[in-house]
């Protein structure tokens, strides 16, 4: 499962940490950071990046992102943007295309999508068939485990992040990230982000806003995390793994 995400980084650091090797230019490049489309209407107070019902369309760094908040998501770029990859804030929790109310009013739990049921789901299948696959980037996610005997059972939180090449790296230390450097010949030398496979889609709000949203793809836990929870996000070692998934989908 995945119920909380941590991403405290600025867009520039995120893009550096997601650098990819461009085989055409023979060098490492940053993905482009693209802001979410702005709302057509604002709140009465005119808050920056908020829709008519106060839904924020902006990414705000946080150690505790919850569903319905906007977090960084990497997708395939378009030719006009001159980049193979784009990172854009999207709302966590896929908005059903049939939803006629506000973005949060559909009442469904759509932050996680079970891998085994994607093709049977009328909510997730369209995104899968139309190859709207994405990479959710974060420093890590939280999982809780019940500890202690009844009736005094408590929930112990655990923070899950990618194994680091340097065991001394402190994933939660901001300086560790800001001191990292991107070299076009060797790539990013800072900590490794956690990358999770997901599905995304766009939805039109009653006021005409275009809202991007996503779901994290989950699967049966592997031997590393099965002690903690029976389910886990589909974690990618590299973004290229998602490109392989997209290529496979083109054969359907």
């Amino acid at each position: 499962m995945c119920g909380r995400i941590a991403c405290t980084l600025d867009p520039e650091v995120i893009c550096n940490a997601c650098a990819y090797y461009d085989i055409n230019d023979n060098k490492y490049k940053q993905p482009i950071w693209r802001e979410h489309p702005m709302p057509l209407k604002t709140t009465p107070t005119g808050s920056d990046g908020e829709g008519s019902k106060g839904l924020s369309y902006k990414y705000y760094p946080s150690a505790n992102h919850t569903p319905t908040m906007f977090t960084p998501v990497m997708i395939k770029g378009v030719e006009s943007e001159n980049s193979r990859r784009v990172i854009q804030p999207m709302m966590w929790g896929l908005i059903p295309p049939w939803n006629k109310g506000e973005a949060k009013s559909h009442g469904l739990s759509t932050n996680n999508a079970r891998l085994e049921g994607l093709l049977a789901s009328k909510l997730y299948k369209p995104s899968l068939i139309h190859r709207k696959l994405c990479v959710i980037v974060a420093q890590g996610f939280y999982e809780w485990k019940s500890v202690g005997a009844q009736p005094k059972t408590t929930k112990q939180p655990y923070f899950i992040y990618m194994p680091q090449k340097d065991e001394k790296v402190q994933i939660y230390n901001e300086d560790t990230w800001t001191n990292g450097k991107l070299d076009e010949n060797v790539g990013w030398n800072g900590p490794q982000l956690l990358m999770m496979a997901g599905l995304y889609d766009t939805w039109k709000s009653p006021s005409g806003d275009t809202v991007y949203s996503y779901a994290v793809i989950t699967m049966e836990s592997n031997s590393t995390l099965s002690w903690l929870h029976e389910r886990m996000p589909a974690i990618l070692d590299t973004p290229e793994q998602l490109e392989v998934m997209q290529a496979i989908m083109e054969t359907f």
Side-chain angles (χ1 to χ4, degrees):
M1 294 287 285
C2 186
R4 294 288 190 278
I5 290 174
C7 192
T8 65
L9 308 175
D10 290 335
E12 182 179 1
V13 176
I14 294 171
C15 289
N16 281 340
C18 291
Y20 64 95
Y21 187 74
D22 190 314
I23 59 175
N24 295 320
D25 293 339
N26 294 318
K27 62 181 180 182
Y28 285 89
K29 289 184 176 181
Q30 283 183 322
I32 291 175
W33 180 273
R34 181 173 67 194
E35 293 292 349
H36 188 281
M38 294 294 289
L40 299 179
K41 297 180 181 179
T42 59
T43 59
T45 58
S47 299
D48 183 30
E50 290 192 355
S52 58
K53 294 295 182 180
L55 177 67
S56 175
Y57 295 164
K58 295 180 70 66
Y59 159 67
Y60 295 100
S62 173
N64 188 30
H65 286 288
T66 61
T68 74
M69 296 178 71
F70 281 64
T71 74
V73 176
M74 186 159 55
I75 59 176
K76 185 177 180 180
V78 296
E79 188 173 345
S80 61
E81 291 173 307
N82 194 32
S83 177
R84 285 178 54 205
R85 297 175 189 167
V86 171
I87 298 177
Q88 176 186 304
M90 296 188 191
M91 192 180 90
W92 184 12
L94 197 72
I95 305 171
W98 59 82
N99 182 41
K100 302 300 183 183
E102 295 301 324
K104 300 180 183 180
S105 67
H106 54 79
L108 301 176
S109 178
T110 61
N111 51 304
N112 294 323
R114 294 174 69 95
L115 177 64
E116 302 88 340
L118 293 181
L119 286 174
S121 169
K122 71 174 184 177
L123 173 58
Y124 301 123
K125 184 177 179 179
S127 292
L128 191 64
I129 295 300
H130 291 97
R131 299 185 291 281
K132 291 184 176 180
L133 300 172
C134 62
V135 178
I136 298 94
V137 295
Q139 285 155 290
F141 71 94
Y142 300 94
E143 191 57 78
W144 282 260
K145 185 176 179 63
S146 296
V147 295
Q150 294 286 358
K152 296 184 178 181
T153 299
T154 60
K155 293 282 189 177
Q156 172 67 49
Y158 291 86
F159 186 60
I160 313 300
Y161 58 92
M162 284 296 287
Q164 302 296 310
K165 297 176 182 178
D166 183 352
E167 294 182 356
K168 296 181 181 179
V169 166
Q170 295 178 321
I171 200 79
Y172 46 82
N173 187 332
E174 201 76 16
D175 291 340
T176 305
W177 295 92
T178 55
N179 291 337
K181 302 295 181 184
L182 172 60
D183 186 290
E184 65 179 22
N185 296 312
V186 297
W188 168 250
N189 69 356
Q192 299 301 116
L193 286 169
L194 182 78
M195 298 187 177
M196 299 172 281
L199 298 168
Y200 77 97
D201 205 350
T202 57
W203 171 80
K204 284 286 187 181
S205 75
S207 61
D209 293 354
T210 297
V211 183
Y212 284 75
S213 63
Y214 72 89
V216 176
I217 296 175
T218 64
M219 56 187 286
E220 184 177 346
S221 286
N222 60 20
S223 57
T224 302
L225 293 177
S226 59
W227 65 272
L228 182 58
H229 199 282
E230 62 183 13
R231 309 273 315 163
M232 63 177 283
I235 297 173
L236 304 171
D237 291 326
T238 67
E240 284 74 20
Q241 290 179 322
L242 198 70
E243 294 178 359
V244 172
M245 289 174 60
Q246 289 174 324
I248 293 173
M249 287 308 302
E250 292 177 1
T251 66
F252 278 41

